[in-house]
Amino acid sequence: MTIIDHLYELRYRLGVAVTFVIIGAILGFIWFSTAPFGWPTLSDVLLHPYCALPVNQRLSPNGTCQLLQTEPFEIFMLRMKVGLSVGALLFSPVWLYQLWAFITPGLYAKERKFARSFVFFATILFVAGAVLAYYVVPEALTFMAGFGGEAFFTALTGGKYINFMLLLLVIFGVSFELPLILVMLNRAGVVTYDKLRRWWRGLVFALFVFAAVATPGQDPFSMLALAAALSLLFAVAALICRSHDRRKAKKMAAEGLTGVGLDEASEIDPMASQLDTTPSAMPKHDDAT
C-alpha cells in the first residue's frame, strides 16, 4: 500500500471507531436517567458510592441522596462526559479491532496472534481495574468524610464527584495493564524472569509508590487496594514469564543452542581472509567475455 492508501485506510478505521463511540455516547446519555430492561440508571450507579456514606455525613435535601449543581448546564455536560465514557467502554471491542485491523498488515503471523491476545486481555484487565475502583470508592469516601465527625457533612458538586469517579476508574483500569505489558516485553525478549526475580523487591516498592502518586484521593484505601492488586498481578505475570522462559530454554536445548546468549558474538572469524592476487592465481576469463 502507498502512503495515500494508508491514509485512506486510517481515515476509514477512525471513522468506524468514532461512529460507534458516538452511538455508545448517545445510548449512555439516555441511560443516565432512563432505566432500560429494569437495570439501574447510570446516575444511580455513579451515585451509589456517595450514597453509601452515613446519612449524617452527606447531603439529603429531599430525603434522597443528591449532588449539587452549581453552574448552568452542568448536568448536561456531565451527561455528555459520562455518555462518551460509556460509549468508549461498551464499544471498546469495535475500536480496538479497528486499531488491530489497521496495524495487522504490517505484522507477521506470530505478531498478529500476540496482538489479538493483547487486545483480549487488555479489555478484561481494564474492566477488572474499573470494577475494583468502583468498590473502593465508598470506603475511601467514608474514611475522608469521617474526619469531620458530626461538625461537617459532605455536599459534593456533581462536576467534582463525577470527574473524581471517572478519573479513578480510568487510573485503576489503565494501571491493570502494567503486568500485561510486562508479559509482552518478556515475549519480545526484552525482560527475562531471572531479572524479575532479582528485581522483585524494588519493583514491588515501585508499584506502591506508583499507586500513592496515581490515585487522585488522599485516602489510604485507594492506594493500598491498587498497590496490592498490582503486586498480585505482578506475581502472576512473573509466573507466566517463568513458564515462557523455561519453554524457550527447552527449545534452545533441543536445537543445540544451550548456553548461547542473545548478546554473545558468533564464533565465525570476523577477520577478512588473505586472497592470493598473483597472476597465476587469478581466474582466467574467455577473451569473448
Side-chain angles (χ1 to χ4, degrees):
M1 297 176 63
T2 63
I3 295 179
I4 299 298
D5 292 333
H6 278 293
L7 292 177
Y8 284 142
E9 178 74 8
L10 178 61
R11 184 182 66 176
Y12 170 74
R13 298 297 178 186
L14 286 177
V16 174
V18 171
T19 299
F20 276 91
V21 170
I22 292 176
I23 293 174
I26 295 174
L27 295 177
F29 186 89
I30 299 173
W31 187 10
F32 188 88
S33 58
T34 305
F37 310 109
W39 299 346
T41 63
L42 281 179
S43 59
D44 292 336
V45 174
L46 291 173
L47 278 174
H48 178 265
Y50 173 68
C51 296
L53 289 172
V55 178
N56 61 340
Q57 293 182 355
R58 56 177 169 81
L59 182 64
S60 303
N62 301 318
T64 59
C65 179
Q66 292 179 308
L67 296 172
L68 291 175
Q69 179 181 211
T70 59
E71 298 177 2
F73 305 108
E74 183 178 9
I75 298 300
F76 177 80
M77 297 306 297
L78 287 177
R79 289 184 64 170
M80 290 289 294
K81 185 180 295 185
V82 172
L84 284 172
S85 302
V86 171
L89 181 61
L90 288 179
F91 291 98
S92 58
V94 177
W95 59 264
L96 284 174
Y97 171 78
Q98 297 302 320
L99 175 63
W100 173 80
F102 177 72
I103 65 176
T104 290
L107 300 178
Y108 295 106
K110 185 177 181 181
E111 294 173 336
R112 294 177 187 176
K113 182 182 67 174
F114 288 158
R116 287 193 294 266
S117 301
F118 181 84
V119 170
F120 175 75
F121 287 107
T123 303
I124 293 179
L125 288 174
F126 185 89
V127 173
V131 170
L132 176 62
Y134 182 79
Y135 285 102
V136 166
V137 169
E139 300 297 330
L141 290 177
T142 301
F143 176 82
M144 298 301 296
F147 281 105
E150 299 292 335
F152 297 89
F153 67 91
T154 305
L156 297 177
T157 62
K160 291 184 177 179
Y161 175 75
I162 297 298
N163 289 335
F164 171 78
M165 282 290 297
L166 294 179
L167 181 61
L168 196 65
L169 294 176
V170 171
I171 287 176
F172 270 66
V174 173
S175 299
F176 270 45
E177 309 294 340
L178 294 178
L180 179 61
I181 295 176
L182 190 65
V183 172
M184 300 304 291
L185 290 176
N186 174 256
R187 295 278 181 172
V190 178
V191 177
T192 62
Y193 169 75
D194 186 57
K195 291 181 180 180
L196 296 178
R197 182 176 56 83
R198 295 198 306 266
W199 299 345
W200 75 270
R201 292 179 179 85
L203 290 174
V204 171
F205 176 76
L207 291 176
F208 273 83
V209 174
F210 169 79
V213 175
T215 48
Q218 304 300 320
D219 64 285
F221 291 98
S222 301
M223 188 264 299
L224 291 177
L226 180 58
L230 290 180
S231 299
L232 179 61
L233 290 174
F234 169 75
V236 175
L239 292 176
I240 295 175
C241 294
R242 179 186 180 186
S243 175
H244 173 260
D245 288 353
R246 285 187 172 182
R247 291 196 305 268
K248 185 177 179 180
K250 290 181 179 179
K251 182 178 179 180
M252 293 181 66
E255 297 176 355
L257 300 177
T258 305
V260 178
L262 296 177
D263 298 328
E264 292 184 13
S266 172
E267 296 181 357
I268 299 177
D269 187 4
M271 300 301 295
S273 60
Q274 297 295 328
L275 298 178
D276 189 357
T277 58
T278 59
S280 59
M282 295 297 291
K284 296 181 180 181
H285 299 279
D286 191 1
D287 293 339
T289 60

PDB file of all heavy atoms in Angstrom, residues 41-53 58 65 134-135 137-138 141 161 165:
ATOM      1  N   THR A  41     -30.246   3.075  36.510  1.00  0.00           N
ATOM      2  CA  THR A  41     -29.734   4.135  35.656  1.00  0.00           C
ATOM      3  C   THR A  41     -28.256   4.383  35.967  1.00  0.00           C
ATOM      4  O   THR A  41     -27.749   4.006  37.027  1.00  0.00           O
ATOM      5  CB  THR A  41     -30.526   5.430  35.877  1.00  0.00           C
ATOM      6  OG1 THR A  41     -30.342   5.853  37.247  1.00  0.00           O
ATOM      7  CG2 THR A  41     -32.004   5.215  35.605  1.00  0.00           C
ATOM      8  N   LEU A  42     -27.586   5.032  35.010  1.00  0.00           N
ATOM      9  CA  LEU A  42     -26.175   5.344  35.230  1.00  0.00           C
ATOM     10  C   LEU A  42     -25.990   6.307  36.392  1.00  0.00           C
ATOM     11  O   LEU A  42     -24.994   6.232  37.117  1.00  0.00           O
ATOM     12  CB  LEU A  42     -25.574   5.952  33.963  1.00  0.00           C
ATOM     13  CG  LEU A  42     -25.196   4.980  32.841  1.00  0.00           C
ATOM     14  CD1 LEU A  42     -24.649   5.747  31.647  1.00  0.00           C
ATOM     15  CD2 LEU A  42     -24.179   3.969  33.325  1.00  0.00           C
ATOM     16  N   SER A  43     -26.939   7.220  36.566  1.00  0.00           N
ATOM     17  CA  SER A  43     -26.841   8.138  37.697  1.00  0.00           C
ATOM     18  C   SER A  43     -26.906   7.381  39.016  1.00  0.00           C
ATOM     19  O   SER A  43     -26.180   7.709  39.964  1.00  0.00           O
ATOM     20  CB  SER A  43     -27.945   9.186  37.622  1.00  0.00           C
ATOM     21  OG  SER A  43     -29.229   8.559  37.634  1.00  0.00           O
ATOM     22  N   ASP A  44     -27.766   6.349  39.104  1.00  0.00           N
ATOM     23  CA  ASP A  44     -27.834   5.535  40.322  1.00  0.00           C
ATOM     24  C   ASP A  44     -26.530   4.779  40.543  1.00  0.00           C
ATOM     25  O   ASP A  44     -26.050   4.662  41.674  1.00  0.00           O
ATOM     26  CB  ASP A  44     -29.002   4.557  40.244  1.00  0.00           C
ATOM     27  CG  ASP A  44     -30.349   5.257  40.277  1.00  0.00           C
ATOM     28  OD1 ASP A  44     -30.405   6.387  40.810  1.00  0.00           O
ATOM     29  OD2 ASP A  44     -31.331   4.693  39.752  1.00  0.00           O
ATOM     30  N   VAL A  45     -25.948   4.255  39.445  1.00  0.00           N
ATOM     31  CA  VAL A  45     -24.698   3.509  39.568  1.00  0.00           C
ATOM     32  C   VAL A  45     -23.571   4.411  40.048  1.00  0.00           C
ATOM     33  O   VAL A  45     -22.790   4.057  40.939  1.00  0.00           O
ATOM     34  CB  VAL A  45     -24.337   2.857  38.216  1.00  0.00           C
ATOM     35  CG1 VAL A  45     -22.955   2.204  38.292  1.00  0.00           C
ATOM     36  CG2 VAL A  45     -25.381   1.818  37.842  1.00  0.00           C
ATOM     37  N   LEU A  46     -23.478   5.608  39.468  1.00  0.00           N
ATOM     38  CA  LEU A  46     -22.411   6.524  39.843  1.00  0.00           C
ATOM     39  C   LEU A  46     -22.621   7.111  41.235  1.00  0.00           C
ATOM     40  O   LEU A  46     -21.653   7.388  41.966  1.00  0.00           O
ATOM     41  CB  LEU A  46     -22.310   7.657  38.822  1.00  0.00           C
ATOM     42  CG  LEU A  46     -21.810   7.250  37.431  1.00  0.00           C
ATOM     43  CD1 LEU A  46     -21.916   8.420  36.460  1.00  0.00           C
ATOM     44  CD2 LEU A  46     -20.376   6.751  37.495  1.00  0.00           C
ATOM     45  N   LEU A  47     -23.862   7.309  41.638  1.00  0.00           N
ATOM     46  CA  LEU A  47     -24.141   7.889  42.957  1.00  0.00           C
ATOM     47  C   LEU A  47     -24.029   6.883  44.091  1.00  0.00           C
ATOM     48  O   LEU A  47     -23.949   7.278  45.261  1.00  0.00           O
ATOM     49  CB  LEU A  47     -25.544   8.500  42.973  1.00  0.00           C
ATOM     50  CG  LEU A  47     -25.688   9.907  42.385  1.00  0.00           C
ATOM     51  CD1 LEU A  47     -27.148  10.314  42.335  1.00  0.00           C
ATOM     52  CD2 LEU A  47     -24.890  10.902  43.190  1.00  0.00           C
ATOM     53  N   HIS A  48     -24.023   5.599  43.760  1.00  0.00           N
ATOM     54  CA  HIS A  48     -24.021   4.581  44.826  1.00  0.00           C
ATOM     55  C   HIS A  48     -22.867   4.738  45.814  1.00  0.00           C
ATOM     56  O   HIS A  48     -23.077   4.655  47.033  1.00  0.00           O
ATOM     57  CB  HIS A  48     -24.012   3.182  44.210  1.00  0.00           C
ATOM     58  CG  HIS A  48     -23.963   2.087  45.233  1.00  0.00           C
ATOM     59  ND1 HIS A  48     -22.777   1.499  45.641  1.00  0.00           N
ATOM     60  CD2 HIS A  48     -24.941   1.476  45.943  1.00  0.00           C
ATOM     61  CE1 HIS A  48     -23.023   0.582  46.546  1.00  0.00           C
ATOM     62  NE2 HIS A  48     -24.334   0.547  46.745  1.00  0.00           N
ATOM     63  N   PRO A  49     -21.613   4.951  45.368  1.00  0.00           N
ATOM     64  CA  PRO A  49     -20.542   5.133  46.363  1.00  0.00           C
ATOM     65  C   PRO A  49     -20.772   6.337  47.278  1.00  0.00           C
ATOM     66  O   PRO A  49     -20.495   6.265  48.481  1.00  0.00           O
ATOM     67  CB  PRO A  49     -19.294   5.321  45.492  1.00  0.00           C
ATOM     68  CG  PRO A  49     -19.621   4.641  44.215  1.00  0.00           C
ATOM     69  CD  PRO A  49     -21.080   4.895  44.002  1.00  0.00           C
ATOM     70  N   TYR A  50     -21.266   7.436  46.723  1.00  0.00           N
ATOM     71  CA  TYR A  50     -21.537   8.613  47.546  1.00  0.00           C
ATOM     72  C   TYR A  50     -22.698   8.365  48.495  1.00  0.00           C
ATOM     73  O   TYR A  50     -22.667   8.769  49.675  1.00  0.00           O
ATOM     74  CB  TYR A  50     -21.833   9.805  46.642  1.00  0.00           C
ATOM     75  CG  TYR A  50     -22.300  11.036  47.385  1.00  0.00           C
ATOM     76  CD1 TYR A  50     -21.438  11.733  48.226  1.00  0.00           C
ATOM     77  CD2 TYR A  50     -23.605  11.503  47.232  1.00  0.00           C
ATOM     78  CE1 TYR A  50     -21.869  12.864  48.908  1.00  0.00           C
ATOM     79  CE2 TYR A  50     -24.043  12.631  47.902  1.00  0.00           C
ATOM     80  CZ  TYR A  50     -23.171  13.314  48.736  1.00  0.00           C
ATOM     81  OH  TYR A  50     -23.604  14.426  49.409  1.00  0.00           O
ATOM     82  N   CYS A  51     -23.729   7.700  48.005  1.00  0.00           N
ATOM     83  CA  CYS A  51     -24.897   7.423  48.844  1.00  0.00           C
ATOM     84  C   CYS A  51     -24.624   6.370  49.898  1.00  0.00           C
ATOM     85  O   CYS A  51     -25.437   6.167  50.812  1.00  0.00           O
ATOM     86  CB  CYS A  51     -26.072   6.979  47.969  1.00  0.00           C
ATOM     87  SG  CYS A  51     -26.652   8.266  46.832  1.00  0.00           S
ATOM     88  N   ALA A  52     -23.491   5.667  49.790  1.00  0.00           N
ATOM     89  CA  ALA A  52     -23.120   4.699  50.819  1.00  0.00           C
ATOM     90  C   ALA A  52     -22.610   5.369  52.086  1.00  0.00           C
ATOM     91  O   ALA A  52     -22.444   4.708  53.120  1.00  0.00           O
ATOM     92  CB  ALA A  52     -22.049   3.749  50.278  1.00  0.00           C
ATOM     93  N   LEU A  53     -22.359   6.685  52.033  1.00  0.00           N
ATOM     94  CA  LEU A  53     -21.957   7.409  53.229  1.00  0.00           C
ATOM     95  C   LEU A  53     -23.100   7.413  54.249  1.00  0.00           C
ATOM     96  O   LEU A  53     -24.283   7.355  53.879  1.00  0.00           O
ATOM     97  CB  LEU A  53     -21.590   8.851  52.878  1.00  0.00           C
ATOM     98  CG  LEU A  53     -20.296   9.081  52.088  1.00  0.00           C
ATOM     99  CD1 LEU A  53     -20.206  10.541  51.657  1.00  0.00           C
ATOM    100  CD2 LEU A  53     -19.091   8.704  52.924  1.00  0.00           C
ATOM    101  N   ARG A  58     -23.746  13.197  54.570  1.00  0.00           N
ATOM    102  CA  ARG A  58     -23.955  13.579  53.170  1.00  0.00           C
ATOM    103  C   ARG A  58     -25.220  14.430  53.058  1.00  0.00           C
ATOM    104  O   ARG A  58     -26.037  14.502  53.982  1.00  0.00           O
ATOM    105  CB  ARG A  58     -24.085  12.343  52.277  1.00  0.00           C
ATOM    106  CG  ARG A  58     -25.180  11.367  52.670  1.00  0.00           C
ATOM    107  CD  ARG A  58     -25.273  10.229  51.681  1.00  0.00           C
ATOM    108  NE  ARG A  58     -26.101   9.152  52.131  1.00  0.00           N
ATOM    109  CZ  ARG A  58     -27.442   9.113  52.076  1.00  0.00           C
ATOM    110  NH1 ARG A  58     -28.098  10.161  51.587  1.00  0.00           N
ATOM    111  NH2 ARG A  58     -28.126   8.067  52.507  1.00  0.00           N
ATOM    112  N   CYS A  65     -30.558  10.879  48.328  1.00  0.00           N
ATOM    113  CA  CYS A  65     -29.148  11.217  48.121  1.00  0.00           C
ATOM    114  C   CYS A  65     -29.004  11.993  46.818  1.00  0.00           C
ATOM    115  O   CYS A  65     -29.384  11.504  45.747  1.00  0.00           O
ATOM    116  CB  CYS A  65     -28.324   9.937  48.084  1.00  0.00           C
ATOM    117  SG  CYS A  65     -26.567  10.215  47.804  1.00  0.00           S
ATOM    118  N   TYR A 134     -14.501   0.931  41.627  1.00  0.00           N
ATOM    119  CA  TYR A 134     -15.886   1.242  41.983  1.00  0.00           C
ATOM    120  C   TYR A 134     -16.213   0.787  43.404  1.00  0.00           C
ATOM    121  O   TYR A 134     -16.938   1.477  44.136  1.00  0.00           O
ATOM    122  CB  TYR A 134     -16.830   0.585  40.985  1.00  0.00           C
ATOM    123  CG  TYR A 134     -18.285   0.875  41.231  1.00  0.00           C
ATOM    124  CD1 TYR A 134     -18.842   2.091  40.830  1.00  0.00           C
ATOM    125  CD2 TYR A 134     -19.105  -0.051  41.854  1.00  0.00           C
ATOM    126  CE1 TYR A 134     -20.186   2.366  41.050  1.00  0.00           C
ATOM    127  CE2 TYR A 134     -20.448   0.218  42.073  1.00  0.00           C
ATOM    128  CZ  TYR A 134     -20.981   1.421  41.677  1.00  0.00           C
ATOM    129  OH  TYR A 134     -22.309   1.693  41.905  1.00  0.00           O
ATOM    130  N   TYR A 135     -15.671  -0.371  43.799  1.00  0.00           N
ATOM    131  CA  TYR A 135     -15.949  -0.875  45.134  1.00  0.00           C
ATOM    132  C   TYR A 135     -15.034  -0.277  46.195  1.00  0.00           C
ATOM    133  O   TYR A 135     -15.306  -0.408  47.394  1.00  0.00           O
ATOM    134  CB  TYR A 135     -15.824  -2.401  45.152  1.00  0.00           C
ATOM    135  CG  TYR A 135     -16.997  -3.087  44.484  1.00  0.00           C
ATOM    136  CD1 TYR A 135     -16.889  -3.609  43.197  1.00  0.00           C
ATOM    137  CD2 TYR A 135     -18.219  -3.196  45.126  1.00  0.00           C
ATOM    138  CE1 TYR A 135     -17.970  -4.229  42.576  1.00  0.00           C
ATOM    139  CE2 TYR A 135     -19.304  -3.814  44.523  1.00  0.00           C
ATOM    140  CZ  TYR A 135     -19.173  -4.329  43.247  1.00  0.00           C
ATOM    141  OH  TYR A 135     -20.237  -4.930  42.641  1.00  0.00           O
ATOM    142  N   VAL A 137     -14.234   3.080  46.172  1.00  0.00           N
ATOM    143  CA  VAL A 137     -14.646   4.468  46.390  1.00  0.00           C
ATOM    144  C   VAL A 137     -15.493   4.646  47.655  1.00  0.00           C
ATOM    145  O   VAL A 137     -15.252   5.597  48.426  1.00  0.00           O
ATOM    146  CB  VAL A 137     -15.393   5.001  45.150  1.00  0.00           C
ATOM    147  CG1 VAL A 137     -16.053   6.343  45.449  1.00  0.00           C
ATOM    148  CG2 VAL A 137     -14.430   5.159  43.994  1.00  0.00           C
ATOM    149  N   PRO A 138     -16.500   3.811  47.968  1.00  0.00           N
ATOM    150  CA  PRO A 138     -17.267   4.038  49.202  1.00  0.00           C
ATOM    151  C   PRO A 138     -16.405   4.031  50.458  1.00  0.00           C
ATOM    152  O   PRO A 138     -16.598   4.867  51.352  1.00  0.00           O
ATOM    153  CB  PRO A 138     -18.281   2.867  49.203  1.00  0.00           C
ATOM    154  CG  PRO A 138     -18.417   2.490  47.780  1.00  0.00           C
ATOM    155  CD  PRO A 138     -17.065   2.690  47.178  1.00  0.00           C
ATOM    156  N   LEU A 141     -14.408   7.335  50.508  1.00  0.00           N
ATOM    157  CA  LEU A 141     -15.224   8.482  50.883  1.00  0.00           C
ATOM    158  C   LEU A 141     -15.596   8.441  52.356  1.00  0.00           C
ATOM    159  O   LEU A 141     -15.602   9.483  53.039  1.00  0.00           O
ATOM    160  CB  LEU A 141     -16.483   8.530  50.018  1.00  0.00           C
ATOM    161  CG  LEU A 141     -16.285   8.885  48.541  1.00  0.00           C
ATOM    162  CD1 LEU A 141     -17.626   8.826  47.808  1.00  0.00           C
ATOM    163  CD2 LEU A 141     -15.680  10.271  48.395  1.00  0.00           C
ATOM    164  N   TYR A 161     -17.537  15.391  41.735  1.00  0.00           N
ATOM    165  CA  TYR A 161     -17.712  13.980  42.090  1.00  0.00           C
ATOM    166  C   TYR A 161     -17.626  13.083  40.862  1.00  0.00           C
ATOM    167  O   TYR A 161     -16.936  12.051  40.884  1.00  0.00           O
ATOM    168  CB  TYR A 161     -19.057  13.786  42.795  1.00  0.00           C
ATOM    169  CG  TYR A 161     -19.371  12.329  43.080  1.00  0.00           C
ATOM    170  CD1 TYR A 161     -18.719  11.650  44.107  1.00  0.00           C
ATOM    171  CD2 TYR A 161     -20.288  11.628  42.304  1.00  0.00           C
ATOM    172  CE1 TYR A 161     -18.989  10.311  44.366  1.00  0.00           C
ATOM    173  CE2 TYR A 161     -20.565  10.300  42.552  1.00  0.00           C
ATOM    174  CZ  TYR A 161     -19.911   9.651  43.576  1.00  0.00           C
ATOM    175  OH  TYR A 161     -20.166   8.321  43.814  1.00  0.00           O
ATOM    176  N   MET A 165     -14.855  10.211  40.070  1.00  0.00           N
ATOM    177  CA  MET A 165     -15.204   8.820  39.803  1.00  0.00           C
ATOM    178  C   MET A 165     -14.606   8.339  38.484  1.00  0.00           C
ATOM    179  O   MET A 165     -13.977   7.279  38.413  1.00  0.00           O
ATOM    180  CB  MET A 165     -16.724   8.659  39.774  1.00  0.00           C
ATOM    181  CG  MET A 165     -17.376   8.611  41.133  1.00  0.00           C
ATOM    182  SD  MET A 165     -17.005   7.079  42.024  1.00  0.00           S
ATOM    183  CE  MET A 165     -17.743   5.873  40.952  1.00  0.00           C
TER     184      MET A 165
END
